[in-house]
Amino acid sequence: MSAAPDDPVYRNPVLDADWSDPDVIRVGDDFYLTASSFGRVPGLPLLHSRDLVNWTLVGHALHRLEPESEFAVPRHDCGVWAPSLRHHDGRFWIFWGDPDQGIFQVNAPEIRGPWTRPHLVKAGKGLIDPCPLWDDETGEAYLVHAWAKSRSGVKNRLTGHRMHPHGTELLDEGKVIVDGDRIPGWFTLEGPKLHRHDGWFWILAPAGGVETGWQGAFRSRAFFGPYEEKVVLEQKDTDVNGPHQGGWVRTPSGEDWFLHFQQRGAYGRVVHLQPMEWDPDGWPVIGDDGAPVAGHRRPDLPPQRPAAPATDDDFPGGRPGRQWQWTANPRDGWATHHSADGLRLTCVRTPDAHDLRALPHVLTQRLPGTPCTVEVDLRLDDGEPGARAGLAVLGDAYSWIGLERGTDGAVRLVHRFAETAAERERDAAPPRPAPGGRARLRVDIGAGARCSFSYDTGDGGGDGAGEGFRPSGQVFAATPWRWVGALLGLAALAPTGQGHAGTATFTQFRIRIQEKRADR
């Protein structure tokens, strides 16, 4: 949540949406953050701040997932897991683990690029959460990573490697440097972040699971250990469940801060900012004596105007803003560039027209973690019977409202949903006339991510002009994917057939945040 520049206190979360597995660095007076993007494209979001409280999205480091054939279709919980962002030798570096392929890296001279194509540093199943370290004291380079049991049969341990200083390859087979099975009560140790501080090698890593776990710190005089451990952040009597994986950063004045995520169901993993100090024995103390703070004195940094990652979009020139991501690698022809405002999507023919979860051409952005109202104008242009388009709340279950052209050529307002285990969607409300093939679509998202759909076709729903929005269907409770929060989506599609199926134009996409915070 952004804070006014004259407010001496900030309030958590500072990023109230699904910015999963955040990592943060400082370069000069600027702070940069990246996060997991899983199977969405473009990936590896890049955020910028000068006060650690107000953040803007400035780009992405990954423009296509590789190998491209693997991500031609949605793989919602695969792809980019838990990246680490570093600045070394005048370049920005991001390392991440793809649980099915191995450890990748990209690098660039500037945060906005150009970024290199992904380079596979180490191939292997279940290699996740990598973090590099270039040791300025010795000139050596290292890398630590965790393990995904679903792919490797191994978890709860961290493996360390020597790394080529160029960041292109690992120089050994690795050694387990922290074995969580040997620490009483510890399980699901993951997400390591590697640092050098005060003559120690430090690994900051969470354990205990994303919903109920804690943040640990490990230190050793030698990279390969032995390491001693301590819990440095846990829920205690707060409402911040499982304060989890994140990054440590130091300001120019020498203050230390820690950014981490909190798992919040359909809202995904929202980001909190915690103060950080060092106790007399040299261990980090995060939050309020190891408990997350709901708010705190702002960092000692120059005031910044309130800011947050963009959500609204007029789609100038037919181009979506950087807040949007496709559900798989995009293909030519899904969206048409033009001289006016508005997103013009092709009604792509697909055998999966009965299930939005299977479509690669859904354009998505994160669901806000605060009650809000989402609206967009939609026009269904000339097309074939079965062509449809709409606004969706997308997860393991989904619901969408939009327009569909019938076999008689008339356009109707439709509202459909699919349960988590369902293979096909069903009507959430009876179809209704949509004269002119236009509608303003709305979703009111309340506490608990409960979604109420409504529409305005411009004719008062058939009962006379001027009646405005009319409700549709039952309340829908948004659901996350396995690792990803629910998404807002814009989609245009048609059943299989011959020829061009038509287009749909979306304009004036808006999200209005309500003042009352969700689940608070």
Side-chain angles (χ1 to χ4, degrees):
M1 172 173 282
S2 60
D6 58 349
D7 188 344
V9 174
Y10 72 88
R11 293 165 184 82
N12 278 317
V14 292
L15 285 167
D16 203 356
D18 187 22
W19 302 95
S20 180
D21 311 313
D23 195 23
V24 62
I25 60 170
R26 178 177 66 87
V27 180
D29 294 327
D30 297 287
F31 299 92
Y32 300 104
L33 181 148
T34 192
S36 295
S37 50
F38 298 97
R40 303 194 302 279
V41 181
L44 291 173
L46 303 167
L47 287 81
H48 170 257
S49 176
R50 287 203 164 186
D51 67 357
L52 290 172
V53 174
N54 296 279
W55 293 88
T56 56
L57 179 63
V58 297
H60 291 83
L62 185 63
H63 298 293
R64 299 187 72 82
L65 287 161
E66 297 187 5
E68 292 204 14
S69 60
E70 294 290 324
F71 293 95
V73 296
R75 302 180 67 204
H76 296 287
D77 296 310
C78 300
V80 176
W81 282 22
S84 290
L85 174 62
R86 293 293 181 265
H87 189 260
H88 167 70
D89 197 24
R91 297 186 71 83
F92 292 88
W93 301 77
I94 303 178
F95 285 68
W96 75 94
D98 180 316
D100 299 302
Q101 299 182 72
I103 295 170
F104 287 90
Q105 62 97 332
V106 292
N107 60 86
E110 305 289 343
I111 195 68
R112 290 172 173 81
W115 289 86
T116 61
R117 286 188 59 174
H119 174 78
L120 184 61
V121 178
K122 181 176 175 61
K125 296 282 188 180
L127 308 179
I128 59 169
D129 308 353
C131 184
L133 172 70
W134 287 269
D135 186 352
D136 293 333
E137 295 182 22
T138 66
E140 299 283 344
Y142 304 96
L143 183 137
V144 63
H145 68 82
W147 295 86
K149 186 175 181 179
S150 59
R151 273 70 164 188
S152 65
V154 174
K155 72 169 188 175
N156 205 33
R157 64 187 63 173
L158 306 179
T159 296
H161 297 264
R162 293 188 182 276
M163 183 178 72
H164 194 290
H166 291 166
T168 54
E169 61 181 316
L170 304 181
L171 303 179
D172 55 35
E173 291 303 310
K175 174 186 176 182
V176 175
I177 56 177
V178 179
D179 186 346
D181 290 344
R182 295 179 178 270
I183 307 174
W186 285 59
F187 60 96
T188 317
L189 176 62
E190 57 187 349
K193 294 292 180 274
L194 184 58
H195 301 273
R196 198 83 154 94
H197 170 67
D198 197 25
W200 298 87
F201 287 92
W202 288 91
I203 300 174
L204 301 179
V210 296
E211 294 186 352
T212 58
W214 57 89
Q215 184 69 36
F218 302 83
R219 69 180 183 184
S220 174
R221 292 297 185 184
F223 172 70
F224 287 103
Y227 283 83
E228 51 185 324
E229 81 283 341
K230 185 176 183 179
V231 175
V232 294
L233 184 68
E234 55 188 326
Q235 181 172 354
K236 295 189 177 181
D237 60 355
T238 74
D239 65 352
V240 181
N241 59 292
H244 212 69
Q245 177 176 335
W248 161 40
V249 68
R250 176 166 285 177
T251 69
S253 65
E255 289 184 345
D256 292 304
W257 296 86
F258 187 75
L259 285 142
H260 68 90
F261 77 74
Q262 174 199 10
Q263 172 68 34
R264 291 190 55 221
Y267 301 115
R269 300 172 177 183
V270 303
V271 178
H272 292 241
L273 176 66
Q274 304 293 338
M276 177 172 157
E277 296 179 339
W278 300 86
D279 71 16
D281 295 323
W283 288 94
V285 179
I286 300 176
D288 181 7
D289 195 25
V293 299
H296 193 270
R297 173 190 55 80
R298 295 166 60 103
D300 180 21
L301 293 164
Q304 181 177 333
R305 296 182 63 183
T311 57
D312 294 356
D313 206 346
D314 288 320
F315 309 105
R319 293 171 172 82
R322 57 174 61 101
Q323 65 267 37
W324 297 96
Q325 296 170 291
W326 299 99
T327 47
N329 281 329
R331 303 173 204 166
D332 292 339
W334 287 356
T336 302
H337 296 166
H338 53 89
S339 59
D341 288 351
L343 177 69
R344 189 176 299 163
L345 294 183
T346 300
C347 294
V348 177
R349 292 193 180 277
T350 172
D352 295 313
H354 56 279
D355 191 347
L356 296 186
R357 295 165 295 197
L359 302 184
H361 53 276
V362 180
L363 196 60
T364 68
Q365 66 167 280
R366 294 162 178 82
L367 186 75
T370 303
C372 63
T373 297
V374 182
E375 290 186 9
V376 67
D377 280 334
L378 170 62
R379 183 183 74 239
L380 192 61
D381 299 315
D382 291 342
E384 296 295 312
R388 68 201 73 160
L391 168 65
V393 178
L394 192 64
D396 272 344
Y398 72 85
S399 186
W400 71 279
I401 191 168
L403 300 173
E404 181 177 48
R405 187 175 298 278
T407 55
D408 60 356
V411 176
R412 294 174 177 84
L413 191 291
V414 296
H415 182 190
R416 298 190 175 123
F417 77 102
E419 300 169 81
T420 298
E423 295 181 358
R424 304 184 68 89
E425 63 187 24
R426 297 190 288 142
D427 284 337
R432 302 170 177 89
R438 297 171 178 266
R440 180 77 175 165
L441 310 173
R442 175 188 285 178
V443 186
D444 290 295
I445 305 172
R450 293 174 61 82
C451 304
S452 299
F453 289 77
S454 57
Y455 66 95
D456 181 0
T457 54
D459 70 341
D463 297 328
E467 294 187 15
F469 281 94
R470 299 170 64 87
S472 180
Q474 301 299 313
V475 172
F476 170 76
T479 64
W481 311 92
R482 186 177 184 187
W483 308 124
V484 181
L487 300 166
L488 299 171
L490 303 178
L493 59 144
T496 54
Q498 300 297 317
H500 183 61
T503 60
T505 301
F506 296 87
T507 55
Q508 297 186 62
F509 182 91
R510 298 289 185 269
I511 297 180
R512 297 196 308 274
I513 299 297
Q514 301 172 19
E515 288 191 10
K516 185 177 180 180
R517 299 281 296 277
D519 302 337
R520 290 289 187 243

